[in-house]
Amino acid sequence: MQTVYPRYTLAERLVLSVISIVTWPVEHFLGWVRRKVVVDPIPSSGRR
């Protein structure tokens, strides 16, 4: 029989969770900036 190893070790899971906790606010902020940039050019083109 083959030995089945876990997908990630405990240390790898800890590292992945820390990375996701750190990058979540950055991704959230970038999504907000993208929404602002997509919405903003339409009114700004009318200001000219």
Side-chain angles (χ1 to χ4, degrees):
M1 293 194 69
Q2 286 183 323
T3 305
V4 178
Y5 294 103
R7 188 176 182 112
Y8 295 111
T9 63
L10 180 61
E12 289 170 332
R13 279 187 276 163
L14 282 172
V15 169
L16 290 172
S17 64
V18 168
I19 290 172
S20 64
I21 289 170
V22 169
T23 59
W24 181 84
V26 175
E27 292 177 7
H28 188 72
F29 175 74
L30 289 177
W32 177 80
V33 168
R34 274 190 223 110
R35 283 193 302 272
K36 285 291 187 183
V37 168
V38 167
V39 170
D40 198 31
I42 298 166
S44 65
S45 64
R47 289 184 202 143
R48 281 192 247 164

